Amino acid sequence: METVAVAAALGFLLLTAAGGSAGDEAREAAAVRELLVRLLGPGPAASFSVSVERALAAESGLDTYRLSGGGVGTRVRVLGSTGVAAAAGLHHYLRDFCGCHVAWSGSQLRLPQPLPVVPEELTEATPNRYRYYQNVCTQSYSFVWWDWARWEQEIDWMALNGINLALAWSGQEAIWQQVYLALGLTQTEIDEYFTGPAFLAWGRMGNLHTWSGPLPPSWHLKQVYLQHRILDRMRSFGMIPVLPAFAGHVPKALTRVFPQANITQMGRWGHFNCSYSCSFLLAPEDPLFPMVGSLFLRALTKEFGTDHIYGADTFNEMQPPSSEPSYLAAATAAVYQAMIAVDPDAVWLLQGWLFQHQPEFWGPAQVGAVLGAVPRGRLLVLDLFAESRPVYVRTASFQGQPFIWCMLHNFGGNHGLFGALESVNRGPTAARLFPNSTMVGTGMTPEGIGQNEVVYALMAELGWRKGPVADLGAWVTGFAARRYGVSHGDAEAAWRLLLRSVYNCSGEGCSGHNRSPLVRRPSLQMVTDVWYNRSDVLEAWRLLLTATPALASSPAFCYDLVDVTRQAVQELVSLYYEKVRTAYLNKELVPLMRAGGVLAYELLPALDKVLASDSHFLLGSWLEQARVAAVSETEARFYEQNSRYQLTLWGPEGNILDYANKQLAGLVADYYAPRWRLFTETLAKSLVQGIPFQQHQFDKNAFQLEQTFVLSTKRYPSQPQGDTVDLAKKLFLKYYPRWVAGAL
């Protein structure tokens, strides 16, 4: 009982501090009705009645929805305590009563007629105050080039999945520009400080400056406009947008204007030198700190309004200048004091990544200094990677500060089938039952989206469950049936195989960061170990192809067929790489050329063709998003280069090489395949000439290929080409029998 009481009290404190709802009942109900029309069309939407009444949650104070009605001549009635609750209730009905599926890759929304009856009035309340969404990095890895149409789709997805707390960080550089000009910086100094659009996330966290900039004036105008629309739509559902606040990082040019200011230069980050990293941190005791912080927040809230929750990360992946608890407490308190100087109701949302990223620095005294520097209930911590490395366990539930149990899952927006579904399924309940737990919500914090949709479907559902899913096998079978609009034994068997293999990672080593040789610069030391049996992936591939006569008309099925084919090829690349390496070490030229030739000249080109058959796997679409965001051809080329850098080198010298790797048609053909051809040819030349393979020299030569791709202006198709089923089947028939026979 004590655990529940602590969490409930903190949840109430945050609820009052955050001001409760973000709009009135009528506006929120109207927003959900408009969502219904966008989702289903005006005709089917007329079969639903949506209303919002705060009184529905009067007893618990937690988001609640009620479903009733349906059947011949009777509308389905959806009642929610907030717009988000009503949207989540609508999604529950569509999913569990109608067998529909809402997803990034496309939704399956075939409604049965008449609409199914809700047998008896169904009322559901969420077990926690918050369902959070986004990572600061998501803004760059996934959202950077989005227009309003794409944002509208995402906010609809958020509402349907019950998200009521999310970052809204667009347009902040325009506000910072106003502040810096007011402080006396020149426009040139400001332009030199901001990163390019694709790297703003790390500029915002103080990791980077300058790299791949400057930001064009049109960028600021468009982002401010976009932010207003994002905020208006989020608030119309009753969501709480989290705005940015001052974390202490400042441009170096501030030392010119204020030469007496106490400013410390931080260390390097991400293999960047100080031309682009080594950020400048304003000392917490310097009088400039509250001035800069309040100037920014006042200008920001004047422009965008506020819902009283703000995000700021001072030491994200950066070691503080001192480990003294007094310093860490002062640095933390300074950020919070700058917030409440402008907004007395401010609550600080802190990414807890720093505590698990450098555990050797963040001992009990250091963690306690940060957590104790803000009044209890005014610091809301995201346990960012809780499915793998929960911090609440070793910090006594963040020493009494409220926290949100988050699933990070994905790094860099990588493709690659991955999940720790058992850990995800049981994690929130375990955190809720932890002694004196201060958990107040669940969250999804991927660095990039648009992948592994089954993982996010489960996590979103868990935000409304009081306990774990009892049978994940049955759950994933139902997921497949809804996704494709029909039950199919082979497809469901394929999903059960994926559940027990790629989606069954466990332990601290689990990380949704694709390190497959396919997407990494080749070497003789590449790791090919995986946590699952590769035969499960290849058998799932076979089963999906067996299901194609019945399911090929489903866009979601075709997407999954591409994705599983891609994963199967990724496995085959590892196996062929092992043959290449073994042949080289054994000084066997012919087997080396045979395996390397298949990998670089047959397998990767075939993969590129399969990827080209689906609109979600096109480099052309990725780059076109960037180009369309521009207002001139010069800008378009600049944005495209930003995008190419992020996908590949990540820095001028490959500083975080391939971190944001993706398997896209065009990228496989013109970036990954040329590297593998060079590797095979270099190894063969080494054997022929009797000269040892020199990794350092190979890296130099590979960098030339990589840089050529980044600087290229080649245009790629933004529309799919070829038949997915036919291309996947050809690949399967060529390689699956070889694998079965052990004759790759």
Side-chain angles (χ1 to χ4, degrees), residues 27 155 168 226-236 241 243 304-305 307:
R27 185 188 186 202
I155 297 170
L226 195 58
Q227 174 76 338
H228 276 290
R229 298 202 70 172
I230 291 166
L231 290 171
D232 182 66
R233 183 60 55 83
M234 287 177 67
R235 288 166 177 157
S236 75
L243 296 178
F304 298 125
D307 298 86

Side-chain angles (χ1 to χ4, degrees), residues 15 49 134-135 148 194 276 321 324 331 354 387 437 601 651 658:
L15 176 63
S49 167
Q134 290 183 38
N135 182 308
W148 168 242
F194 289 138
Y276 302 115
E324 282 297 317
L354 74 168
E387 81 274 26
S437 177
Y601 290 92
D658 296 320

Side-chain angles (χ1 to χ4, degrees), residues 371-438:
L371 297 175
V374 178
R376 186 170 292 186
R378 291 303 189 95
L379 183 68
L380 177 54
V381 185
L382 300 176
D383 202 345
L384 210 72
F385 197 14
E387 81 274 26
S388 185
R389 300 174 197 169
V391 175
Y392 77 88
V393 175
R394 63 179 177 85
T395 57
S397 198
F398 291 97
Q399 300 187 14
Q401 291 286 15
F403 76 94
I404 295 176
W405 190 99
C406 296
M407 177 194 77
L408 200 161
H409 179 259
N410 179 271
F411 291 84
N414 297 167
H415 291 126
L417 300 184
F418 167 80
L421 287 192
E422 191 57 49
S423 176
V424 168
N425 187 33
R426 303 204 172 274
T429 301
R432 206 174 285 126
L433 298 175
F434 188 74
N436 298 318
S437 177
T438 52

Side-chain angles (χ1 to χ4, degrees), residues 199 211 272 645-646 648-657 703 710:
F199 301 94
W211 163 239
F272 282 85
Y645 263 117
Q646 189 201 86
T648 56
L649 293 172
W650 220 103
E653 300 168 337
N655 307 63
I656 314 180
L657 181 67
F703 176 74
V710 169

Side-chain angles (χ1 to χ4, degrees), residues 480-510:
R482 291 190 300 273
R483 188 164 170 83
Y484 306 145
V486 63
S487 295
H488 192 286
D490 288 329
E492 290 164 3
W495 274 99
R496 287 192 295 272
L497 284 172
L498 295 174
L499 175 65
R500 83 179 191 188
S501 56
V502 291
Y503 291 120
N504 193 34
C505 196
S506 61
E508 287 200 0
C510 287

